[in-house]
Amino acid sequence: MALTGIEIFKHLPKTNCGKCGVPTCLAFAMSLAAGKAELASCPSVSDEAKAKLEEASAPPIRPISIVTGDKPLKIGGETVLFRHEKRLENPPGIAILISDTMAETEVSRRLQNFKKFRYERVGMDLRPELVAIKYASGKPEAFAALAGKVKAETDGGIILICEDMAAMAGAVAACAERKPILYGVTGANFDALTGLAKEKGLPVVAKGASLDELGGLTDRLTKLGIKDIILDSGARSLKQTYTDQVSIRRAPLLNKVRSLGFPTIVFPGEMTDNPLKEALIAATFMAKYAGIIVLSDFSGETLFPLLVARMNLFTDPQRPLATGEGIYEIGGPNENSPVIITCNFSLTYFIVSGEIENTRMPAYLLIKDTEGLSVMTAWAAGKFSADSIAPFIKKCGIADKVKHRKLIIPGYLASESGGLEEELPDWEILIGPREAAHLTSYLKNTWKS
Amino acid sequence: MCKTDETTEIYYSCLLCQSFAPSHVCVVSPERTGLCGSYNWMDCKASNEINPTGPNQPVPKGETIDARLGQWKGVNDFVFKASRGKVDHYNFYSIINDPMTTCGCMECIAAILPICNGIMTVNRDFMGMTPCGMKFTTLAGTIGGGITTPGFVGHSKYNVAQRKFLIAEGGIKRLVAVRFNERAKELGIPDLMDRIADETIGTTEEEILPFLTEKNHPAITMDPLM
């Protein structure tokens, strides 16, 4: 039975030193109880308390941080089976597969695609994070060279798929700073591969033919001090993989099976030859518990929906999605372009910015922080009224960007126009349409700088 | 005439928040309003009479399991069923012992302050840091979603003035830090109010403890909370 925050708190030093990153021991205890922090962050916890808390404080599914050339990719750390129970914590990493038997041009195309397929949505960067490199050539130097190339040319985290220990060691040396994931530890190569992983401090994939075998492997790895483990149940059919993923998620969460409390890796490309089916399978495992999804190739029409699906699944259902406060330039506006303000609820931002693009009239869109609430909700909560909009207009710097002093407010904020005229005497307040869909006709018919 | 929890046999449920906190079941008694502050016992009764199959259902409180903590068999049975087996009991009047679940739309959150041997509460309009080390939003994210979190409980503003507010731990005598001065002044205990810290005294436990000691706040000498 997991301890509650209060029970954990009793064992903490109660100094409120703040060294763990949160201001009080109580707050730290609550994070521990929620599986969001590790006891190791507390510098002054006693050994006695540590022993008592270790079991309770370790997250049921270990969070693992994978090195990339960009910010680290976090996987695992999940605390629930279903999104609505709390939230899904860490989106699975998406990898593209490259083999050392592929022609130079094919490798380049794949690496290009890895770099090219990036999208920005609601202020979030949607992108693949990993490159999986497969050893198939029989030539260790070719494998090492490819690993070096991937490290040099991309910022992706690296997965090395290789059963030959000499080739693996060479490839690790070629991309050592990127801390590649070693795939994979089995009963047969256990000693050789764990030796390499331990020496270099690398994460490993444990691969077993059954969940029991997998659990046995992770127990042995943990005893050796290797804790950054990713699980592959060995299944390569959709049905069996799905069953395994669910079991691997349920066991640590519901039954405290520590030996399966790690993120997983899946290979949809090994379950079908049809790229569209592969994408559908990948989407399945995005929802059902994969930590890393290795795709056989990237194409924009399947990768983009997958990235959006991932973003949608891993947003916090208790918090509205919000866009950053600031000035958004749409279509290259100039000093005579219209200035439109709305709230920072992401959906609102999406729709309004899209409609402004449709008008083909360049404009400045001002996004005011309303804590992710929509226009009317924010207004009703007092977070989008004249006395909070006016200071934002003054400090955001829009006055330096335009010559005119006209501000278009959402139609639903019409009742704030008087207040705004008082607070912003230099500005003329124009009441825009109630619906974003009417922006085109509104701007075309009424806008004159 | 004031209705009290003791003299009332039928409490009312409120399941409005289950859309986002599926295991949360509010049970509203005359002396414990819904933690959103929007529903009191009479509101729930009226809602039930208007819509007998709606979110507010009568809950016969049944046999008393613990009068001090505020736990009744009928309430537990209802909560178990309405949370679909997720929650099998909770206490109305305690913050330490299995307090009521919290949905996410509470007006205030009370939290224990172990060093001060007391309880703080913060309302949702206060954006700053609180002495427990968490802001309201962090607190809400930690304890919300239909779970029981010992040491923390959501409650309505009005609830502070009600007779049963955290009475298992000593009620408002435990309050060492509050945010809503207006409400507390109406309590008729002006002297106690002067001894309670707010954000002008400090936003950490260390800052408010000397104040509480100097003012001889009752919580300092009360039985240990934990």
Side-chain angles (χ1 to χ4, degrees), chain A residues 4-6 9-10 14-17 22-28 30-31 34 36 84-87 317-319 371 383, chain B residues 20 22 86 111-112 114-115 127 129 131-134 137-138 140-145 147 149-152 205-206 226:
Chain A
T4 64
I6 295 294
F9 173 81
K10 289 176 189 166
K14 306 185 185 69
T15 51
N16 293 355
C17 69
V22 290
T24 65
C25 294
L26 184 63
F28 182 59
M30 295 310 289
S31 297
K36 282 192 282 192
H84 66 250
E85 291 176 82
K86 189 91 186 164
R87 74 180 79 85
Q318 294 174 13
R319 265 166 218 261
E371 296 169 30
K383 285 165 183 157
Chain B
F20 61 90
K86 282 275 168 61
I112 59 158
I115 296 175
M127 303 293 173
M129 184 48 80
C132 73
M134 291 174 268
T137 47
T138 314
T142 307
I143 73 164
I147 49 174
T149 315
F152 301 83
E205 277 198 84
E206 289 79 1
M226 305 200 313

Side-chain angles (χ1 to χ4, degrees), chain A residues 112-427:
Chain A
Q112 270 309 313
N113 280 354
F114 176 81
K115 286 186 270 191
K116 189 175 75 182
F117 291 133
R118 292 185 186 185
Y119 311 88
E120 209 203 298
R121 276 291 181 280
V122 282
M124 284 197 234
D125 208 12
L126 307 184
R127 54 162 296 181
E129 295 87 1
L130 301 160
V131 180
I133 311 171
K134 193 170 192 170
Y135 178 61
S137 65
K139 298 185 198 111
E141 62 283 2
F143 189 49
L146 190 57
K149 183 181 166 76
V150 169
K151 193 200 90 180
E153 291 185 13
T154 74
D155 61 359
I158 295 174
I159 307 167
L160 295 172
I161 303 175
C162 174
E163 283 172 10
D164 181 300
M165 282 311 118
M168 186 68 110
V172 165
C175 62
E177 306 92 274
R178 200 56 68 80
K179 299 277 177 201
I181 301 167
L182 306 183
Y183 182 100
V185 176
T186 61
N189 66 9
F190 190 87
D191 294 332
L193 203 58
T194 52
L196 185 62
K198 207 159 160 52
E199 182 196 335
K200 307 272 186 193
L202 304 178
V204 298
V205 175
K207 188 179 177 185
S210 68
L211 296 188
D212 285 342
E213 192 187 324
L214 206 49
L217 275 176
T218 62
D219 280 342
R220 288 172 68 193
L221 285 166
T222 316
K223 282 199 187 88
L224 276 180
I226 299 177
K227 289 181 176 168
D228 287 344
I229 306 169
I230 298 161
L231 306 178
D232 179 356
S233 73
R236 290 297 182 268
S237 71
L238 174 58
K239 185 179 176 194
Q240 189 56 45
T241 310
Y242 185 91
T243 310
D244 289 351
Q245 293 296 312
V246 173
S247 302
I248 291 172
R249 172 64 62 92
R250 291 174 73 97
L253 282 187
L254 303 183
N255 303 321
K256 309 274 164 217
V257 181
R258 284 254 174 252
S259 63
L260 290 178
F262 300 94
T264 62
I265 186 169
V266 296
F267 294 85
E270 294 183 19
M271 299 175 202
T272 174
D273 293 327
N274 178 334
L276 200 57
K277 273 192 189 161
E278 183 183 342
L280 289 171
I281 293 170
T284 306
F285 293 122
M286 219 153 243
K288 289 295 175 192
Y289 313 146
I292 293 175
I293 299 173
V294 181
L295 294 174
S296 63
D297 196 3
F298 286 170
S299 68
E301 72 271 22
T302 52
L303 185 64
F304 177 66
L306 280 174
L307 290 168
V308 174
R310 181 176 72 171
M311 175 180 77
N312 289 343
L313 281 167
F314 284 82
T315 53
D316 185 345
Q318 294 174 13
R319 265 166 218 261
L321 214 50
T323 305
E325 183 171 274
I327 302 173
Y328 289 75
E329 300 188 357
I330 298 174
N334 61 29
E335 60 193 20
N336 297 316
S337 300
V339 176
I340 301 166
I341 186 167
T342 192
C343 64
N344 81 331
F345 178 40
S346 283
L347 204 56
T348 307
Y349 164 75
F350 248 144
I351 293 170
V352 172
S353 60
E355 288 297 337
I356 295 174
E357 276 171 35
N358 287 346
T359 66
R360 305 200 184 284
M361 284 174 70
Y364 290 101
L365 178 59
L366 305 184
I367 297 294
K368 158 90 176 69
D369 181 5
T370 56
E371 296 169 30
L373 298 179
S374 67
V375 170
M376 290 210 75
T377 328
W379 174 78
K383 285 165 183 157
F384 202 32
S385 52
D387 54 358
S388 65
I389 294 172
F392 167 66
I393 298 292
K394 285 177 191 157
K395 75 164 198 279
C396 73
I398 187 66
D400 301 331
K401 291 181 185 271
V402 292
K403 282 205 303 202
H404 65 81
R405 289 291 177 268
K406 290 181 180 179
L407 176 66
I408 301 172
I409 63 172
Y412 281 113
L413 281 194
S415 59
E416 293 296 319
S417 61
L420 278 168
E421 278 164 6
E422 258 172 51
E423 303 258 353
L424 297 169
D426 301 344
W427 289 76

Side-chain angles (χ1 to χ4, degrees), chain B residues 13 40 53 78 81 111-112 117 198 210:
Chain B
S13 68
N40 64 28
T53 58
F78 183 91
K81 196 167 157 233
I112 59 158
N117 197 33
D198 63 15

Side-chain angles (χ1 to χ4, degrees), chain B residues 45-64:
Chain B
K45 185 175 161 68
S47 156
N48 180 254
E49 283 175 17
I50 295 165
N51 180 4
T53 58
N56 304 106
Q57 294 296 319
V59 180
K61 71 180 182 187
E63 179 193 330
T64 302

